[in-house]
Amino acid sequence: MKIEKDRKGQELTLTLSGRLDTTTAPTLEQELQQSWNDISTLILELKELDYISSAGLRVILTAQKHMLKQGSMKLRNLSDNVREVFEMTGFADIMTIE
Amino acid sequence: MIAPANGGDSMRNTFLKWLFAFIATAFALTFGISFLVQTRQARENAVLLIRLRISDARRQLSVTEGNLKRISEMTSAMALIKARAFAGFIEQSPELLTSREKLQEIRRMLDVDELHVSDQKGILIASVPEEYHGYDMASAAQSAAFLPAISDPSFEMVQEPQRKGSDSEMFQYAGVARIDQPGIVQIGYHPRRLMEAAQLADIRNIAAGFRIGTRGAIIICQNHQILSYGGANLSKTDLIAARINQENLLNQKIFRTHVGNQEFLGVAEKFRDYWIVGILPTNEMYLRRNSVVGVLVVVDLLLFALVFVLVSILVQKIVINGIYRINASLKKITSGNLEEKVQVTNTDEFKALSKGINATVAALKNAITETAARIDAELQFAHTIQVSGLPDPNPVFPQQVPFTLAASMKTAKEVGGDFYDYLLLDDDHLWFMIADVSGKGIPAALFMMTTKTLLHKLAEKGLSPKDIFEQSNREICARNKTGMFVTAWMGILELGSGRLECANAGHNPPLLLHADGSSEFLKIPPGLVLGGMETSKYRGSSLYLKPGDRIILYTDGVTEAQNPKGDFFAEKRFQQVMEKHNQASVTSQQLLAEINQAVSCFADGAEQADDITLLTLEFNGKTPTCLTLPAELEQLQSLQEFLEKHLLQAGISDKICSQLQLAAEEVFANIARYAYPAQAGNAGISLQILPHPKGKIILQFRDNGIPWNPLTKSPPDINLPADQRPVGGLGIFLVRKIMDDCLYQYQNNQNILTLTKYLPAE
């Protein structure tokens, strides 16, 4: 999995590509923890994310909970596979998906 | 039990019979005694009556005799007065002796019939009637009796009446001496009143005036002669024939005799030298008795009938009803209702009896309950032993195998005579069979256990079904003392090729469900049942199963299941149910559940008559692909690559491939994290892809870690808002979402999780 960071003031955009699974989720979690303290908007660009497992969902839910306290989080351009997992788990209803 | 037996006498009838006998005897005794007493009384009364009549007769006789004497004296006195008066007339007017008219006038005046006057020689000188004129008084004894009057002036005499003249009428003469000169003055007359009185006073005439009762009579006898008798319808001949004139009969004083054809009671009394006999017809004498006895009979009958009815009602109420009620209760108890209580409390005895019976039944119930509990426990134990003697109905084999096998057995009783068995002979051969021992219950179960052991041993030797049947049949026949037998169907499946070698020993033909949805009964030539005949030969048959084919072995408990109307479930219905559920999405276990459900629905509460046993074998065609990895998260990549490679090779779509990878990751991550907390371990993964028409993917995970069933984890609530949702717990939830069937088993120290995904139709 690759993570690209793009910070514009209070807005952080992370572009994920590849597979967010048990082995790669901790990387994303570390990255978020480093950067989410002084932002008000978190955007996850998921156009290139092919695959997500529960480990990835866990990180995203943690991020959502965190951002609810200090701003907002948006998910962008979900691939079919990822969108299906979001729908299965009810994540599609509790997150802002663009 | 005390329930009245058919054909025997009921207590009520016996009682009534005896009561009737007693009352009838009492009635007869009463009747007999009254009859005797009344008879005696009647006889005494009759004797008394007769004696009274006899005494009346005597009294009357005395009275009339007295009368007779007085009349006789009066008549005599009157006659003498008349004779003297005539003598006086002659003294005063002697000339009248010559005047016929004067004499006639005197005769009329004196009211006599004859007048005679004699001279001193006793020759009649004047007479009325005149023809006696000149008659010499001395010429006859009767008239000579008056001659002393010639010499004795005080002579007077009244002669006894004597018969006289042609009509022999009684006639009496009275005479005195002449006053004017010696001679006789005589008058003659018919002493009618005297004769009447005499007649009245004559004992011989008494009889006619007396009647005793209606037809009784008084009879006067003297010197064996019947002088007179009264009463109607009696004839002298009959009386003589009845010996009523015989002293030896009369001396009995009271006697019975037949006059004519009528029986009479007779009483005889001596009176002077007469016998006065009174007789009374016995039927007359018993007339009163008969009416008294008749009334008595009627009254007695009524009385005894009343007593009979009252006593029988009383007994019915006090005893019989109680006994009937007890019997009714006992009948219920006998027929199995131990809850029934006997409650007959109308008498102390019945109270005690009811209490006793209730106590006995309670004790019996306890004993039965205890025994039943013990037997139940033993049967339950036997059931456990029997079931544990059968192989796992939902087996998982140590290695991945290209088939699924499931079995079910529902015994009609706690233990049964059906069994199934299977054995993986080697990597490429599966032996399986089903059998049905004749009979049910414990004998069948015992026979089943030995037969199963025998067949299993022979299978282990690697014999063909035909040979197994022939050898086992010989052994079973050799020690079959009870005449039991077994029907069996047996097959050996070659896993690589799908070749099925099979044989039938008198068993129902299995149902073959083809992958394309069609079905047929697998009818191979059947041999004789095992244990039937020592020399039985069996024929082996073989066929090839295609991937997706299922073979269903069953016992006749399925096809011969009956509904309350008595219809059989039958092969046709069995085949229909099986065809209906022969789909890729229906697992072998589900298929068995469906048929069991269908049979149960059909039976509709009717008791299961026979064991219902089923074994289904689904041939998947290809041996699965396997991978063994160390259970570490780092190995996830290898797993994903393995899956991707085989799934894409098999032409599975990207999307499904991705879903399976997700499910596999979640399961593998679980194993890597939790299965081996202490030491390192491996995880085995096998993948089986079944082609259409029953396309499905079977993914199986095995590990030797701590036993843990991930499927028991409750799913997260996915409707909670983000801030309330826990961050974990989604892994197994996703697995369940993605896969169509998840099965967890723990066998041989292995956690085995089998995930199945059906492929959408193309």
Side-chain angles (χ1 to χ4, degrees), chain A residues 19 21-23 50-55 57-58 61-62 64-65 68 81 84-85 88-91 94, chain B residues 633 636 640 655 658-659 661-662 665-666 669 673 718 720 722-723 725-727 730-731 733-734 737-738:
Chain A
R19 301 166 73 91
D21 61 14
T22 310
T23 45
D50 306 324
Y51 175 96
I52 186 164
S53 73
S54 67
L57 293 174
R58 185 176 164 276
L61 182 60
T62 310
Q64 173 72 63
K65 287 187 171 193
L68 276 176
N81 284 349
E84 197 189 348
V85 175
M88 271 192 245
T89 53
F91 273 40
I94 56 171
Chain B
L633 289 175
L636 192 58
Q640 301 295 37
K655 186 181 165 193
S658 178
Q659 286 177 343
Q661 280 185 329
L662 175 53
E665 179 193 327
E666 302 296 351
R673 286 199 184 102
I718 60 168
L720 289 174
D723 58 339
R725 280 190 65 159
V727 290
L730 283 167
F733 175 75
L734 279 169
K737 277 275 184 189
I738 291 163

Side-chain angles (χ1 to χ4, degrees), chain A residues 1 3 14 16 20 24-32 59-60:
Chain A
M1 186 189 66
I3 307 170
L14 294 181
L16 308 180
L20 181 57
T24 56
T27 319
L28 177 62
E29 193 168 15
Q30 275 173 20
E31 189 58 55
L32 281 168
V59 175
I60 290 175

Side-chain angles (χ1 to χ4, degrees), chain B residues 190-212:
Chain B
H190 288 286
R192 288 202 178 79
R193 212 165 298 148
L194 180 63
M195 285 335 290
E196 276 166 20
Q199 186 125 19
L200 274 179
D202 189 342
I203 193 164
R204 289 169 298 185
N205 292 333
I206 291 289
F210 279 91
R211 278 238 297 249
I212 304 175

Side-chain angles (χ1 to χ4, degrees), chain B residues 236-360:
Chain B
K236 205 166 189 171
T237 329
D238 286 340
L239 290 172
I240 289 166
R243 303 192 302 117
I244 280 176
N245 53 342
Q246 301 295 314
E247 291 273 333
N248 51 3
L249 178 70
L250 302 179
N251 276 332
Q252 290 174 21
K253 308 292 188 201
I254 297 169
F255 56 88
R256 274 169 197 257
T257 184
H258 275 87
V259 180
N261 46 15
Q262 174 88 52
E263 194 189 28
F264 283 82
L265 174 76
V267 177
E269 277 184 25
K270 190 93 176 171
F271 180 67
R272 296 179 197 147
D273 56 344
Y274 296 103
W275 280 103
I276 304 180
V277 182
I279 57 170
L280 181 68
T282 45
N283 60 5
E284 209 168 301
M285 133 178 151
Y286 292 137
L287 214 55
R288 192 178 137 72
R289 177 204 68 180
N290 288 351
S291 69
V292 168
V293 169
V295 169
L296 259 180
V297 165
V298 171
V299 171
D300 277 2
L301 268 179
L302 285 176
L303 200 69
F304 283 122
L306 191 69
V307 168
F308 180 80
V309 168
L310 282 179
V311 171
S312 58
I313 287 173
L314 268 180
V315 167
Q316 176 82 35
K317 275 189 96 153
I318 296 173
V319 183
I320 311 275
N321 282 351
I323 288 175
Y324 280 1
R325 280 171 60 198
I326 287 180
N327 264 353
S329 290
L330 283 178
K331 209 170 174 184
K332 284 188 196 163
I333 290 165
T334 316
S335 60
N337 179 8
L338 296 186
E339 299 305 321
E340 176 70 14
K341 287 268 180 289
V342 182
Q343 272 162 341
V344 180
T345 52
N346 58 345
T347 62
D348 286 348
E349 288 78 1
F350 275 128
K351 262 184 215 166
L353 184 57
S354 299
K355 211 171 148 192
I357 291 173
N358 289 338
T360 309

Side-chain angles (χ1 to χ4, degrees), chain B residues 563-617:
Chain B
N563 65 8
K565 281 193 282 178
D567 304 328
F568 288 110
F569 189 70
E571 277 84 359
K572 198 175 163 193
R573 208 174 268 109
F574 173 58
Q575 189 172 12
Q576 283 167 355
V577 172
M578 286 313 216
E579 273 189 7
K580 185 180 159 198
H581 295 286
N582 181 22
Q583 294 154 11
S585 61
V586 177
T587 63
S588 295
Q589 283 91 346
Q590 284 167 345
L591 199 63
L592 294 188
E594 291 294 348
I595 188 65
N596 275 320
Q597 169 75 15
V599 170
S600 168
C601 276
F602 175 79
D604 192 22
E607 197 190 354
Q608 184 187 336
D610 204 354
D611 305 335
I612 296 177
T613 306
L614 289 144
L615 182 144
T616 165
L617 173 69

